[in-house]
Amino acid sequence: MPETNEIESSVEDLGEEAGLQDALSDVRKAQRLLVAYHQRVMPIIETLAERLGCRFHYWQPTHHNAPSHGAIEPFAQWAWDFSPLNDASFLFLTQEAEAGQFDGPEAWMLVVRLVTDSGFDRCIRQDRTHWDAMQIRPQPHQSETRLDLHAYRMAKPVPEDEGVVWWQLFNDEPLPQIWDQGHKMKSGALCISHSVPLPVLGQKGGMRRTLDSFQNLLLAHGFSTTMDC
């Protein structure tokens, strides 16, 4: 827990560097920009899934916990826990998978991972500590914001007495190192992955091109999907 003199020093540094009023104005602006960003990116994720015929199943922050609430004391939590959408994964299921079907090309799971700052992702994989967020390297202008798309289906029959916990397919094994091609997992699932920078989706026709590209990958690896217009 930081000492009182450390906190006072931090506040003094803030005032010395930019002027406290200016710094807090920047914070308010950043907060509004962040919410505006979420207001725009969440419908993109939802639309991608819907167009691929998948419905929402589950979501989770990628590297940290969802923030506590209510009577749970928040002061000892990791600061990144209060920014859960910085890097988060959204899981969707086809209708067949949602109904409990595990075999066949129609039953599969889509994972859309939102990577707001690739610098944070790289940093935390190297050193999962309580480092100062302002010291993350590379700098924001050298990082990227992207969506990672992952699709999972069972590549071998599932015994009748066994089910598939879909989210475990994503959580229990590392992601493949080579994307845009099929990767057989220890669980017996087949995973394909594709990444798209968010600015590409913002371009005219970007959503359609991304959907077409990913659907072609799905079909090439035995997934059954009908694109919704």
Side-chain angles (χ1 to χ4, degrees):
M1 183 174 181
E3 299 291 340
T4 301
N5 59 346
E6 293 179 359
I7 297 172
E8 290 176 349
S9 177
S10 296
V11 174
E12 289 171 2
D13 289 344
L14 183 65
E16 289 174 3
E17 290 176 5
L20 191 54
Q21 288 297 334
D22 289 343
L24 293 178
S25 177
D26 288 343
V27 168
R28 294 192 292 271
K29 181 179 179 180
Q31 186 85 2
R32 296 182 191 190
L33 286 172
L34 185 60
V35 172
Y37 159 67
H38 292 156
Q39 288 173 329
R40 287 157 177 77
V41 75
M42 295 296 281
I44 292 174
I45 294 171
E46 184 179 33
T47 299
L48 283 169
E50 287 178 348
R51 296 280 178 86
L52 291 166
C54 299
R55 294 190 283 194
F56 176 75
H57 175 59
Y58 177 78
W59 85 278
Q60 63 187 26
T62 304
H63 295 301
H64 41 85
N65 299 315
S68 65
H69 62 280
I72 301 175
E73 189 170 314
F75 306 107
Q77 279 193 261
W78 194 32
W80 288 100
D81 290 351
F82 296 100
S83 185
L85 287 183
N86 175 72
D87 199 314
S89 300
F90 303 83
L91 282 58
F92 303 85
L93 299 177
T94 62
Q95 185 175 355
E96 290 78 9
E98 197 175 35
Q101 181 178 329
F102 308 116
D103 296 326
E106 298 85 6
W108 55 277
M109 175 178 69
L110 170 69
V111 179
V112 182
R113 179 184 168 198
L114 170 62
V115 182
T116 296
D117 182 353
S118 61
F120 167 73
D121 181 53
R122 184 184 306 175
C123 185
I124 194 173
R125 291 180 187 279
Q126 293 174 347
D127 185 17
R128 191 186 175 94
T129 61
H130 205 90
W131 22 249
D132 188 335
M134 301 304 293
Q135 302 303 316
I136 292 176
R137 297 290 182 274
Q139 291 292 326
H141 68 278
Q142 298 173 313
S143 300
E144 67 171 351
T145 300
R146 67 177 195 267
L147 292 182
D148 294 341
L149 310 179
H150 309 284
Y152 296 79
R153 70 172 179 85
M154 296 309 296
K156 64 180 183 180
V158 178
E160 291 186 3
D161 59 340
E162 294 182 18
V164 172
V165 181
W166 289 101
W167 62 266
Q168 286 185 339
L169 298 180
F170 176 64
N171 281 355
D172 288 0
E173 294 188 46
L175 291 172
Q177 296 299 308
I178 302 175
W179 290 23
D180 291 344
Q181 58 183 272
H183 173 78
K184 290 188 177 180
M185 310 179 76
K186 293 180 181 179
S187 59
L190 177 70
C191 174
I192 60 170
S193 301
H194 180 66
S195 185
V196 55
L198 201 60
V200 170
L201 287 165
Q203 297 171 356
K204 185 177 181 179
M207 175 75 77
R208 189 74 211 186
R209 289 194 297 272
T210 297
L211 285 166
D212 287 345
S213 177
F214 193 60
Q215 187 186 41
N216 288 337
L217 282 173
L218 290 170
L219 295 174
H221 292 94
F223 291 73
S224 178
T225 174
T226 301
M227 188 83 74
D228 292 336
C229 296

